[in-house]
């Protein structure tokens, strides 16, 4: 096929620079500029296509990665099809990841076959054309200036000046002619090259796209993939059918629930509708109640709270809060009864020996169930660990007077065996006698129910004197005991919460110390909440090699200290790691009146585990030091007995000499104070090696140092 004819610039008339030539050059220059604009736009679109394929590559890769991450998600609600879905998504992810590689390949091919030729044409052809057009224009201006200068020469001008003007015309016309020839030739060649520059990029684009689709067809059109797709389609259809079935069943269940809940929509069911009797077997309950709040002992208001029973405590969550606060601690002294406070309906009061609260339910049934639940908990001391099974026929006849209901419920609950609590966990045997039996001996509980709680560190004059005598950092007589800073000691910032007396010993502490400490923490925090005690004593806890010292953080004055050998157990709270406590042995009247144990509870600035770790390290070091001291004393006693036994074997000594009280010297005859020596004191000779074997003291006379430690 012959290429079409076109006009071209005549190179023979390049030097003439006639108006016709200039017009023709202007037309060729305008075509070159239009071609440049078109090719530039084509280059931008091709680059955009390459960028789109690169983005598609990244999108495929991200999608495949996201599909693979499904198996790492732990759903709280999952069914048996979760693993099958994860497996199918894994297969889809592998195919999509392969598709991303196809997109990367086609993007590379389009960049090499389309974008790169266009970039090369723009940089080499079009930019060079612009440069030559600028040089041709400048050469024409220089030639016109030279001709104009030569034309202004006069006859009387020197010959040298006319010769220079003529030479300048020669140089500029020659330069213009050469630039015009190259410029015209370049524009003539552009008529061929611009067609090639347009056809090659589009050809490369189509070839790359065809190869891309052929690759996808060859890879995806396989029997294995066809089977997988058909299997997934059948599975999806089955899931849709199950979903529709579940939807219909759910709608039926919703209708049934709405029908059965008609009675619950009323605050107080009408008289013509049969009401359900209250459940008498409940030991835990939760729901919304109106709680009466009193201000200044006179004014009162009602606040709707979510009330629930947890750990023997009646808790409430106010509106806008996320955690519950203590309303009342239920124990064996808890009394619950109906009342008519503020002339309101369905009101009841819960009272203990320390506090009472007034609550309001929506109807009689809710009030009765709350009262029975609290009564059941109070009979068991506030702790329910084993679910009681009470026959529902105990409270037949719902219309009886409410006191009769409680009498029947109390009789039924009192006939059941008592539930074990933390207080009886340290007993060796449990009592199975009935409530009326009085012959069983009282059990020793770990935490007495009437044990007082100390919220302050009160230091008496005797305790201050004892601190002054035992402190390692005492100052002058009569001054306060001050704790000095030392890098070898460990300091912690703590706040004293309270202390209680406990009936434990070292053996019980190691067996059940964690539960005892946690229970003391719970009681102290509950007591603080009941009495609204929010202020605490800031202290600085120091652990030395021999003592645990509590000092004032400002003045470093020692408030309290315990010897490490008196601390029986220490532990941090299992949930709130800021709480730490320890059980310490305390003797009354120098141990003459017996030994008592107390549990001290603090809130640390750091984790309570760190405080316990520091206590463990210090206790271990103190134990090793005590063990070393006991071993040294035992060895010293053995050496003293051995020395006396060897001296007794000497032939010239009738009576064995005595040893000084410190065990360092022998008391010879004539050294007794107050007597004059009859003869000069003989020099003490070196002990000779005795002939008979030395008699060692029997080992049974001394105890092992570890037993005393």
């Amino acid at each position: 096929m012959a290429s079409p004819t076109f006009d071209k610039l005549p190179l023979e008339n390049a030097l003439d620079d006639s108006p016709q030539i200039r017009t023709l050059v202007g037309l060729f220059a305008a075509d070159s500029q239009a071609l440049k604009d078109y090719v530039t736009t084509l280059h931008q679109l091709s680059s955009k296509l390459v960028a789109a394929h690169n983005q598609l590559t990244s999108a495929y890769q991200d999608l495949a990665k996201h599909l693979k991450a499904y198996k790492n998600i732990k759903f709280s609600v999952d069914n048996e099809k979760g693993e099958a879905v994860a497996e199918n998504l894994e297969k889809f992810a592998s195919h999509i990841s392969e598709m991303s590689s196809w997109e990367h390949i086609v993007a590379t091919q389009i960049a090499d076959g389309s974008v790169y030729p266009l970039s090369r044409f723009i940089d080499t052809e079009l930019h060079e054309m612009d440069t030559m057009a600028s040089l041709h224009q400048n050469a024409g201006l220089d030639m016109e200036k030279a001709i104009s200068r030569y034309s202004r020469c006069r006859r009387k001008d020197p010959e040298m000046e006319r010769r220079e003007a003529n030479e300048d015309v020669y140089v500029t016309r020659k330069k213009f002619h050469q630039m015009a020839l190259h410029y015209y030739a370049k524009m003539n060649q552009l008529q061929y090259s611009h067609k090639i520059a347009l056809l090659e990029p589009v050809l490369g684009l189509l070839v790359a796209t065809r190869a891309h689709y052929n690759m996808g067809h060859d890879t995806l059109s396989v029997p294995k993939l066809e089977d997988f797709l058909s299997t997934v389609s059948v599975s999806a259809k089955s899931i849709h059918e199950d979903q529709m079935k579940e939807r219909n069943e759910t709608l039926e269940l919703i209708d049934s629930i709405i029908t059965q809940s008609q009675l619950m929509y009323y605050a107080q069911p009408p008289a013509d509708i049969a009401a359900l009797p209250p459940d008498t077997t409940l030991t835990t309950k939760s729901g919304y109640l109106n709680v009466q709040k009193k201000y200044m002992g006179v004014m009162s208001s009602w606040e709707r709270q979510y009330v629930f029973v947890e750990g023997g405590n009646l808790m409430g969550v106010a509106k806008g809060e996320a955690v519950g606060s203590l309303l009342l601690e239920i124990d064996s002294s808890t009394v619950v009864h109906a009342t008519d406070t503020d002339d309101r309906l369905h009101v009841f009061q819960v009272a203990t020996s320390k506090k009472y609260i007034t609550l309001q339910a929506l109807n009689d049934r809710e009030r009765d169930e709350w009262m029975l639940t609290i009564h059941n908990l109070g009979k068991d001391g506030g702790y329910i660990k084993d679910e009681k099974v009470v026959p529902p026929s105990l409270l037949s006849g719902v219309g009886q007077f409410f006191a009769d209901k409680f009498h029947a419920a109390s009789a039924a609950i009192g006939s059941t065996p008592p539930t074990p609590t933390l207080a009886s966990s340290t007993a060796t045997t449990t009592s199975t006698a009935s409530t009326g039996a009085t012959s069983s001996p009282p059990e020793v509980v770990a935490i007495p129910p009437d044990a007082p709680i100390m919220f302050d560190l009160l230091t008496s004059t005797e305790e201050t004197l004892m601190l002054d005598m035992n402190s390692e950092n005492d100052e002058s007589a009569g001054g306060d005991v001050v704790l000095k800073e030392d890098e070898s000691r460990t300091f912690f910032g703590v706040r004293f919460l309270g202390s209680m007396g406990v009936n434990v010993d070292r053996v019980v502490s190691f067996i059940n110390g964690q539960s005892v400490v946690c229970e003391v923490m719970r009681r102290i925090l509950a007591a603080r909440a009941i009495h609204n005690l929010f202020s605490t004593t800031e202290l600085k806890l120091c652990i030395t090699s021999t003592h645990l010292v509590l000092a004032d953080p400002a003045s470093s004055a020692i408030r309290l200290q315990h010897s490490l050998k008196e601390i029986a157990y220490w532990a941090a709270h299992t949930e709130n790691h800021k709480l730490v406590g320890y059980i310490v042995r305390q003797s009354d009247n120098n141990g003459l009146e017996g030994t008592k144990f107390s549990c001290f509870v603090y809130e640390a600035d750091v984790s309570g585990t760190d405080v316990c770790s520091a206590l463990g390290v210090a206790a271990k070091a103190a134990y090793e030091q005590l063990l070393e001291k006991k071993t040294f004393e035992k060895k010293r006693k053995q050496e003293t007995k051995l020395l006396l036994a060897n001296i007794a074997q000497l032939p010239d000594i009738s009576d064995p000499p005595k040893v000084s009280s410190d065990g360092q010297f022998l008391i010879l005859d004539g050294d007794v104070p107050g007597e004059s020596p009859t003869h000069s004191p003989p020099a003490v000779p070196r002990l000779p090696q005795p002939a008979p074997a030395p008699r060692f003291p029997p080992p049974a006379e001394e105890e092992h140092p570890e037993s005393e430690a």
Side-chain angles (χ1 to χ4, degrees):
M1 179 178 179
S3 59
T5 59
F6 57 88
D7 295 334
K8 61 181 180 178
L9 293 173
L11 300 181
E12 296 83 2
N13 300 329
L15 184 59
D16 296 341
D17 195 23
S18 60
Q20 293 80 6
I21 295 297
R22 289 189 177 185
T23 302
L24 190 58
V25 169
L27 294 176
F28 272 74
D31 292 345
S32 300
Q33 184 62 36
L35 178 63
K36 179 181 178 181
D37 296 340
Y38 181 82
V39 173
T40 302
T41 304
L42 181 61
H43 177 268
Q44 294 175 355
L45 296 177
S46 300
S47 301
K48 186 177 180 180
L49 185 60
V50 173
H53 280 285
N54 288 330
Q55 291 181 358
L56 192 58
T57 301
S58 178
Y60 276 137
Q61 292 176 354
D62 294 341
L63 179 59
K65 187 184 299 184
H66 187 69
L67 293 178
K68 291 180 180 179
Y70 178 82
K71 62 181 180 181
N72 299 326
I73 302 177
K74 303 300 181 182
F75 291 99
S76 301
V77 181
D78 200 358
N79 49 30
E80 67 278 0
K81 296 183 180 180
E83 297 182 357
V85 172
E87 183 179 356
N88 292 331
L89 291 179
E90 186 79 17
K91 294 180 180 180
F92 279 121
S94 61
H95 292 293
I96 293 175
S97 179
E98 187 176 359
M99 292 167 61
S100 67
S101 63
W102 304 342
E103 297 297 333
H104 179 69
I105 292 174
V106 71
T108 304
Q109 291 178 351
I110 293 175
D112 295 340
S114 179
V115 179
Y116 176 71
L118 291 173
S119 300
R120 182 180 58 186
F121 178 72
I122 293 173
D123 295 337
T124 58
E125 298 291 337
L126 299 180
H127 286 177
E128 185 178 356
M129 183 66 65
D130 294 339
T131 303
M132 293 184 69
S134 178
L135 293 176
H136 177 264
Q137 184 179 2
N138 293 334
L141 294 176
D142 293 341
M143 183 184 68
E144 290 181 357
K145 290 180 181 180
I147 293 175
S148 177
R149 177 187 173 189
Y150 180 78
S151 300
R152 289 196 302 269
C153 292
R154 295 176 293 179
R155 294 181 180 179
K156 61 180 180 179
D157 292 339
E159 182 66 23
M160 181 63 65
E161 186 177 347
R162 292 197 302 271
R163 189 181 299 115
E164 289 177 359
N166 188 24
E167 188 69 22
D168 192 11
V169 172
Y170 171 79
V171 172
T172 55
R173 292 188 70 180
K174 180 180 180 180
K175 181 180 179 181
F176 174 76
H177 190 210
Q178 291 177 354
M179 288 302 303
L181 291 175
H182 289 289
Y183 182 47
Y184 297 168
K186 191 67 177 177
M187 285 193 293
N188 293 335
Q189 292 292 330
L190 187 62
Q191 305 303 319
Y192 292 94
S193 59
H194 88 276
K195 297 180 179 180
I196 300 175
L198 294 177
L199 295 178
E200 285 184 349
V202 180
L203 178 62
L205 174 63
L206 294 178
V207 170
T209 305
R210 184 182 65 177
H212 170 66
Y213 287 116
N214 288 336
M215 184 186 304
H217 180 269
D218 295 340
T219 306
L220 298 178
S221 298
V222 292
K224 183 178 180 181
L225 183 60
E226 294 291 341
D227 296 340
F228 172 68
L229 294 178
S230 61
T231 303
V232 173
S233 300
V234 173
S235 177
K237 184 179 179 180
S238 175
I239 293 175
H240 278 295
E241 294 176 354
D242 295 342
Q243 183 182 9
M244 292 301 298
K245 181 179 179 181
E246 178 68 21
R247 179 176 177 273
N248 296 331
E249 293 178 355
T250 303
L251 292 177
E252 295 178 358
L253 179 61
I254 290 175
D255 295 338
S256 176
I257 292 175
I258 293 176
T259 303
Q260 297 176 6
S261 303
Q262 294 295 329
L263 187 62
M264 300 177 64
Y265 297 151
Y266 293 99
Q268 177 68 31
D272 55 347
I273 300 179
L276 296 176
D279 190 354
T280 63
T281 63
L282 295 177
T283 55
T284 179
K285 187 174 176 59
S286 61
Y288 282 96
L289 294 176
N290 292 329
V291 182
Q292 187 183 37
K293 300 287 184 179
K294 289 190 175 182
Y295 303 97
M296 305 298 294
V298 178
M299 300 177 62
S300 65
S301 64
W302 294 86
E303 181 182 4
R304 184 171 173 81
Q305 295 187 12
Y306 185 81
V307 183
F308 61 96
V309 177
E310 181 178 355
N313 296 326
L314 194 63
M315 311 291 291
V317 182
K319 183 178 180 181
E321 296 181 358
V323 295
S325 59
L326 179 66
L327 296 178
L328 190 72
E329 186 175 358
I330 303 174
D331 52 22
S332 57
S333 64
T334 303
V335 177
V336 56
H337 60 88
T339 182
D340 54 354
T341 303
D342 289 353
D343 197 19
R344 289 197 171 203
L345 301 174
H346 324 302
V347 180
F348 63 99
Q349 280 188 352
V350 185
T352 63
S353 59
K354 300 178 181 179
K355 184 181 178 182
Y356 76 92
I357 58 173
T358 305
L359 306 172
Q360 181 188 20
L362 286 180
N363 49 58
D364 292 337
R365 180 177 179 274
E366 287 290 325
R367 181 195 61 187
D368 295 353
E369 285 191 351
W370 273 106
M371 295 174 67
L372 287 171
T373 301
I374 296 173
H375 184 74
N376 294 341
L377 287 174
K379 291 295 294 183
D380 292 316
Y383 298 94
I384 298 296
K385 293 186 178 179
D386 297 331
E387 190 70 23
K388 287 180 168 53
V389 180
V390 181
S393 60
L394 288 175
L395 287 181
S396 58
V398 182
Q400 296 179 358
F401 187 65
F402 200 76
D404 297 337
K405 299 180 186 179
F406 267 90
H407 178 72
S410 301
I413 297 174
S415 62
T416 58
T419 303
T421 64
L422 177 64
S424 62
S425 61
T426 58
T428 56
T429 58
T430 57
S431 176
T432 57
S434 61
T435 307
T438 60
S439 61
S440 299
E443 298 180 354
V444 179
V445 295
I447 305 177
D450 56 347
I453 300 176
M454 302 296 296
F455 296 107
D456 293 324
L457 287 176
L458 302 178
T459 306
S460 61
T461 306
E462 293 78 4
E463 291 176 344
T464 305
L465 180 61
M466 186 63 65
L467 291 177
D468 194 10
M469 296 173 59
N470 296 335
S471 176
E472 300 177 357
N473 304 291
D474 54 341
E475 296 181 352
S476 60
D480 293 337
V481 182
V482 178
L483 180 65
K484 297 182 180 180
E485 298 288 343
D486 190 354
E487 295 181 355
S488 61
R489 298 178 177 179
T490 306
F491 292 88
F492 299 97
V494 298
R495 287 167 293 278
F496 179 70
L497 299 180
S499 62
M500 288 182 62
V502 293
N503 297 331
V504 298
D505 54 12
R506 289 184 180 270
V507 177
V508 175
S509 297
F510 281 105
I511 296 176
N512 203 23
Q514 179 73 33
S515 60
V516 173
V517 172
C518 291
E519 175 63 16
V520 171
M521 291 178 181
R522 188 194 68 81
R523 291 196 181 189
I524 290 176
L525 293 178
R528 280 183 168 272
I530 291 173
H531 298 287
N532 295 326
L533 297 178
F534 303 106
S535 61
T536 57
T537 304
E538 298 285 342
L539 297 171
K540 180 167 58 176
L541 188 146
C542 173
I543 301 175
T544 67
S545 59
T546 57
H547 288 79
L548 184 148
V549 185
L550 294 164
D552 186 83
S555 61
S556 297
I558 296 180
R559 299 288 303 276
L560 185 66
Q561 72 175 4
H562 305 291
S563 177
L564 293 181
K565 64 181 180 180
E566 304 296 337
I567 299 179
Y569 191 83
W570 55 86
H573 199 273
T574 56
E575 297 179 358
N576 187 355
H577 299 290
K578 294 288 186 179
L579 298 180
V580 62
Y582 57 83
I583 301 175
V584 64
R585 179 175 60 183
Q586 295 177 330
S587 300
D588 294 341
N589 196 9
N590 295 328
L592 298 178
E593 298 181 2
T595 301
K596 296 183 179 180
F597 288 85
S598 298
C599 182
F600 291 77
V601 179
Y602 304 88
E603 182 183 9
D605 293 338
V606 298
S607 176
T609 308
D610 298 340
V611 181
C612 294
S613 301
L615 269 174
V617 173
K620 182 179 179 181
Y623 172 76
E624 293 177 353
Q625 183 179 2
L626 179 62
L627 187 63
E628 181 180 358
K629 180 179 178 181
K630 296 295 182 181
T631 305
F632 176 76
E633 292 179 355
K634 177 182 178 182
K635 182 178 180 182
R636 181 177 173 183
K637 291 180 181 179
Q638 291 179 352
E639 290 178 352
T640 302
K641 289 186 178 182
L642 177 62
L643 178 62
L644 295 177
N646 291 338
I647 293 176
Q649 297 297 326
L650 296 178
D652 56 345
I653 298 179
S654 58
D655 296 329
K658 299 181 180 180
V659 183
S660 61
S661 59
D662 56 359
Q664 299 291 331
F665 305 98
L666 296 177
I667 302 176
L668 303 179
D669 294 339
D671 291 345
V672 180
E675 296 183 1
S676 61
T678 58
H679 56 83
S680 60
V684 180
R686 294 180 178 270
L687 294 178
Q689 191 73 18
R695 295 193 299 270
F696 295 94
E701 297 179 3
E702 293 291 333
E703 295 182 354
H704 195 272
E706 294 187 2
S707 63
E708 188 172 355

